[in-house]
Amino acid sequence: MTAFELNPRLDGDTYPVADLPLSALRLMKDANYPWLLLIPRHNDMIELIDLSREDQHQLADEIAQASRALREVTACEKLNVAALGNQVAQLHVHVIARFRTDPAWPGPVWGAAAPTAYTEMAAIALIDRLRQALRN
Amino acid sequence: MTAFELNPRLDGDTYPVADLPLSALRLMKDANYPWLLLIPRHNDMIELIDLSREDQHQLADEIAQASRALREVTACEKLNVAALGNQVAQLHVHVIARFRTDPAWPGPVWGAAAPTAYTEMAAIALIDRLRQALRN
């Protein structure tokens, strides 16, 4: 079995949060929006339908787990969940906490505002709270 | 049990294609992109995680069914799947056929180009081909 290789751009744009049974859960380095990625750890997956039906259901469970943790931590007003992959082919699912006051509302976040860096302290604190919420 | 009420804006923006076990499958009235919506037929659902786990898995199956049919009919280069709901709260999932030549590529479709109407003949023909592909 070949080791899973995370796309370098996804790797560079995110911090690791947790390894769920199917997916790597990561936080986007963009303080404009609390924004998670789920990346199923299988090579050569592009579309959701490239996953087996069993893995599609597992991914649905992990989207739900990530969504609940993100909403608990951020008290967001809306969740956005999307698998687009127009720019980075490796299958990844966005789970984004949205607020009526965020820079892209009510539009989608992609391309709306230049990413804003987290301070190291803020990133560590958010990741720690997400990890705690994932355990609930 | 209260009858399911489709949001008037979702209703007006789409043509009916099929009733799947959980979701109404509809075609967006926008010839820029072959673009389906899946709307679970439960009232008062906003987030994916408002659905029961069983319904989340059923929705994953219906997303897969719609994706395969759409790709078969359009020979698209990429599928985009998303549950956003920033503008229309009623839970709905976009399944969009993307091409490197479409007006929004490689960005997301929302807000990218003014909708282009299908001719009645073109809409009927596309819906017919989608219904045939859903049976496969």
Side-chain angles (χ1 to χ4, degrees), chain A residues 46-49 53 56-57 60-61 64 67-68 71 78-87 98 105-107, chain B residues 46-49 53 56-57 60-61 64 67-68 71 78-87 98 105-107:
Chain A
I46 294 175
E47 303 288 0
L48 290 170
I49 51 175
R53 181 174 181 233
Q56 289 172 36
H57 290 186
D61 290 348
S67 296
R68 283 190 294 262
R71 189 164 67 176
K78 188 70 192 73
L79 293 160
N80 288 176
V81 176
L84 304 181
N86 304 338
Q87 313 220 21
R98 300 300 307 276
W105 187 268
Chain B
I46 295 177
E47 304 288 359
L48 290 170
I49 52 176
R53 183 173 180 232
Q56 289 173 35
H57 290 187
D61 290 348
S67 296
R68 284 189 294 262
R71 189 164 68 176
K78 188 69 193 74
L79 293 160
N80 287 176
V81 176
L84 304 182
N86 304 338
Q87 312 219 22
R98 300 301 306 275
W105 187 268

Side-chain angles (χ1 to χ4, degrees), chain B residues 18-40:
Chain B
D19 270 343
L20 304 184
L22 174 63
S23 312
L25 179 66
R26 304 184 62 103
L27 174 70
M28 283 286 278
K29 293 176 179 172
D30 185 351
N32 286 318
Y33 326 90
W35 180 347
L36 299 173
L37 291 188
L38 286 161
I39 304 132

Side-chain angles (χ1 to χ4, degrees), chain B residues 76-96:
Chain B
C76 61
E77 296 167 302
K78 188 69 193 74
L79 293 160
N80 287 176
V81 176
L84 304 182
N86 304 338
Q87 312 219 22
V88 173
Q90 183 172 67
L91 177 61
H92 58 287
V93 177
H94 304 266
V95 180
I96 310 162

Side-chain angles (χ1 to χ4, degrees), chain A residues 21-53:
Chain A
L22 174 64
S23 312
L25 179 66
R26 304 185 63 102
L27 174 69
M28 282 287 277
K29 293 175 179 172
D30 184 351
N32 286 318
Y33 327 90
W35 179 347
L36 299 174
L37 291 189
L38 287 162
I39 305 133
R41 290 191 306 279
H42 293 308
N43 290 319
D44 305 320
M45 299 279 130
I46 294 175
E47 303 288 0
L48 290 170
I49 51 175
D50 293 340
L51 295 170
S52 68
R53 181 174 181 233

